[in-house]
Amino acid sequence: MNSIKFIPILIVVISTTLLISIAIWTSFTSSVVEETNENSADESVVYNLNIIQNATTSVRGEDIQLKTTSHDLFHENSEGFAVYRLPAIVYHQQTFLVFCEGRKGTADSSISQIVMKRGHLNGTKISWDQTLTVVAKINGTRLANPVPFVDKDTNTIFVAYNVLTAGITEPMFLAQDHYNQSILLIKSQDLGVTWSEPHNITDETLGRMHPVPIFYAPGPGHAIQMKSGRLVMQGNYYYREINSTHKTYKSNTTDHGVVFVSDNHGQNWRPGGFVPYAEDNKGHAIDTSESSVVELANNTLCINSRTLSKSQPRAQALSTDGGDSFGSPVLVKELTEPENIGDVASGCEGSTLGFTAPKNWTKYGQVKSSASDKEQPWVLFSNPADPFIRIFMSIRLSTDGCQTWSKPWTIWDLASGYSDLVQYDDANNNKDYQGPRFGIVYENGYIDTVSTVSFMTFTLDDVRNGVKATKLRAELKQNQIVS
């Protein structure tokens, strides 16, 4: 009875703490521009880049212009689902298609379906479907990791996804002796209006892998079509180490980035290369987990992966034979990812996107020393760029084939998670064409990383200016000009 008397007091304490936390976050996010202290009263600084759109902002007297536009696509506890996870996006013929897991619960192991919203480009304007479409559903089952990609030769949009038993967690999957899942593939030839019956590609992919996978996860994010026409779908898989000196993850497994390839427009698939086991200079295994893939020059692929060790940044590995094999992974110190304090696994998914270098590359401070440099695609990368927790959704740029990366442009200061990048081109509808445009779809919230899935458009100028503004803001904060 005495303990019951304390319940109202406990409720008051918890409620007060929650209100204080909300007040702090509200104060943190309420202003777009703050004035500096009395020593620099004539200067203003960018405080929250994430909510500045179509605006010119002054940072220490320097005008920095951002012409981004944003739209929230999915909200938690709406349209029949508790939460929307693992967003992925493709663009084809003036149409955007965004896919997510629509989960009935908040846990990774929840019953889930593959859902979609379409966006329609008209000139520079994008109009989005008001309601979602369920493109894949099996009652009582977990459908996970949608991976869309476009075969431009046949004007076909594909989506691959995992079929898993709901309620089974990752540790339970990894305790098995053999994979217990299916990989299904659906396709549309009318820009997502209708979809085919699913095609099961499990036997021709997982069934042909040695050693036998314990568990496989597609993507997350979009897959690609190479210039050769080859379709390349990235993912990661675990296998159990037997009689090995390798340092292992859960249940004596190691994790490896891998690709599946098709050379006949998605009719048949086979395993491509996987990222081999390696250790860092401290003797820690480099587990290459959730992966993104991009094509560079000369039939080269770069697979960019989340790592599972709290002491490691992201890792990259190269294939010089179109994905049939990969070299050893290399840690990329510029690509910080969250430690995820309190979680067993470190890191977070990230997205890469390759595109043709602009003709006016000198505008972006680049010096090309040879003809081969001009053939090297530029690459964008996105992830939550904080070393500890999932905040600071950011975009970076590489102009040298993923060898080096720019400083981050932080597009959302607060909680953020998975993301995917896309390129689109409004040249056919816009007489004032200024070059390629890009989009990012990403999980975000004020406290919870998965409250909302948002879409934002941007240009290379926005990346350049955003990197500059983010850097200046960090310097100002470090110098305690911003309180």
Side-chain angles (χ1 to χ4, degrees):
M1 293 293 293
N2 291 337
S3 60
I4 295 177
K5 295 180 180 179
F6 288 100
I7 291 176
I9 299 174
L10 181 60
I11 292 174
V12 170
V13 172
I14 293 174
S15 300
T16 303
T17 303
L18 180 60
L19 288 172
I20 292 172
S21 298
I22 293 172
I24 292 172
W25 280 111
T26 303
S27 174
F28 179 72
T29 60
S30 62
S31 59
V32 175
V33 176
E34 284 194 353
E35 294 300 320
T36 58
N37 61 22
E38 59 183 2
N39 294 325
S40 54
D42 60 336
E43 300 172 346
S44 62
V45 298
V46 177
Y47 194 70
N48 267 328
L49 291 175
N50 51 284
I51 54 177
I52 296 176
Q53 298 175 11
N54 296 310
T56 301
T57 304
S58 179
V59 181
R60 290 203 165 194
E62 181 177 355
D63 286 344
I64 295 181
Q65 189 175 48
L66 299 175
K67 293 185 177 180
T68 64
T69 61
S70 294
H71 184 81
D72 293 340
L73 298 176
F74 300 94
H75 297 275
E76 62 183 350
N77 298 315
S78 66
E79 299 191 71
F81 296 95
V83 70
Y84 298 89
R85 292 296 320 274
L86 281 68
I89 185 170
V90 291
Y91 170 82
H92 190 55
Q93 294 180 346
Q94 280 70 57
T95 304
F96 298 88
L97 297 94
V98 177
F99 302 87
C100 288
E101 293 179 13
R103 295 182 181 176
K104 293 298 185 178
T106 58
D108 287 348
S109 59
S110 300
I111 293 172
S112 56
Q113 301 167 9
I114 305 302
V115 302
M116 174 194 73
K117 279 190 178 179
R118 299 195 308 157
H120 311 278
L121 181 66
N122 183 11
T124 59
K125 304 295 184 182
I126 304 171
S127 59
W128 289 93
D129 293 347
Q130 293 300 307
T131 58
L132 61 80
T133 300
V134 175
V135 300
K137 172 184 177 181
I138 302 175
N139 288 336
T141 303
R142 174 186 170 194
L143 306 187
N145 290 57
V147 179
F149 49 100
V150 180
D151 186 328
K152 294 182 179 179
D153 297 333
T154 62
N155 290 314
T156 303
I157 298 170
F158 293 90
V159 182
Y161 54 92
N162 239 349
V163 180
L164 305 164
T165 303
I168 305 298
T169 63
E170 182 194 62
M172 296 166 69
F173 278 116
L174 298 185
Q176 302 173 143
D177 294 326
H178 187 279
Y179 62 86
N180 182 22
Q181 62 188 115
S182 297
I183 307 168
L184 300 188
L185 189 68
I186 56 176
K187 64 181 180 180
S188 172
Q189 294 183 303
D190 55 11
L191 300 175
V193 176
T194 61
W195 293 89
S196 70
E197 290 297 316
H199 171 50
N200 193 324
I201 63 171
T202 312
D203 290 344
E204 56 191 300
T205 52
L206 299 186
R208 297 169 63 182
M209 296 178 69
H210 301 284
V212 176
I214 301 298
F215 179 72
Y216 166 79
H222 70 275
I224 66 170
Q225 182 177 37
M226 299 182 67
K227 292 179 181 178
S228 65
R230 169 175 283 188
L231 300 174
V232 181
M233 180 170 61
Q234 80 286 1
N236 67 289
Y237 79 105
Y238 298 84
Y239 69 79
R240 180 157 293 113
E241 297 281 356
I242 301 175
N243 298 324
S244 171
T245 60
H246 291 171
K247 298 177 176 63
T248 57
Y249 186 53
K250 300 174 184 176
S251 299
N252 204 34
T253 61
T254 52
D255 195 5
H256 303 265
V258 66
V259 298
F260 297 152
V261 301
S262 173
D263 291 312
N264 60 0
H265 304 290
Q267 295 181 50
N268 303 102
W269 293 82
R270 65 173 176 83
F274 69 94
V275 181
Y277 178 87
E279 297 180 4
D280 62 20
N281 56 13
K282 297 180 180 178
H284 300 145
I286 303 176
D287 283 299
T288 49
S289 188
E290 296 169 326
S291 297
S292 181
V293 67
V294 64
E295 182 179 11
L296 305 177
N298 303 317
N299 203 40
T300 296
L301 294 178
C302 178
I303 193 167
N304 182 303
S305 303
R306 169 183 179 174
T307 57
L308 299 179
S309 171
K310 295 183 183 297
S311 64
Q312 294 172 349
R314 294 184 67 84
Q316 293 181 164
L318 295 179
S319 168
T320 57
D321 53 17
D324 289 334
S325 63
F326 282 89
S328 296
V330 176
L331 297 177
V332 186
K333 63 180 181 179
E334 298 103 320
L335 301 185
T336 302
E337 61 178 359
E339 180 180 313
N340 295 339
I341 298 173
D343 288 347
V344 175
S346 184
C348 184
E349 178 268 357
S351 178
T352 55
L353 177 74
F355 61 97
T356 302
K359 294 180 180 179
N360 58 342
W361 38 259
T362 54
K363 175 181 178 181
Y364 302 95
Q366 303 303 313
V367 177
K368 303 296 184 181
S369 59
S370 65
S372 62
D373 287 339
K374 297 177 182 179
E375 297 172 0
Q376 188 69 267
W378 287 13
V379 181
L380 293 169
F381 170 78
S382 63
N383 81 326
D386 184 79
F388 302 110
I389 58 176
R390 292 183 179 182
I391 57 175
F392 298 146
M393 178 54 66
S394 299
I395 296 170
R396 301 174 191 257
L397 174 67
S398 174
T399 62
D400 57 8
C402 301
Q403 296 180 59
T404 61
W405 294 90
S406 73
K407 296 293 185 181
W409 166 30
T410 299
I411 65 168
W412 180 253
D413 284 332
L414 307 179
S416 52
Y418 286 42
S419 62
D420 200 23
L421 293 160
V422 69
Q423 178 184 353
Y424 69 99
D425 193 334
D426 56 15
N428 295 328
N429 296 299
N430 182 11
K431 64 180 180 179
D432 299 319
Y433 176 64
Q434 297 295 318
R437 293 185 62 86
F438 305 96
I440 179 173
V441 59
Y442 64 103
E443 301 171 343
N444 67 90
Y446 288 95
I447 299 176
D448 187 352
T449 62
V450 295
S451 295
T452 306
V453 173
S454 301
F455 172 79
M456 186 191 81
T457 67
F458 62 96
T459 65
L460 275 181
D461 284 342
D462 293 324
V463 177
R464 177 191 61 182
N465 294 336
V467 168
K468 183 186 298 183
T470 302
K471 181 181 178 182
L472 286 171
R473 181 182 61 172
E475 291 174 352
L476 290 170
K477 284 185 176 181
Q478 187 173 4
N479 293 332
Q480 297 182 339
I481 296 178
V482 176
S483 59

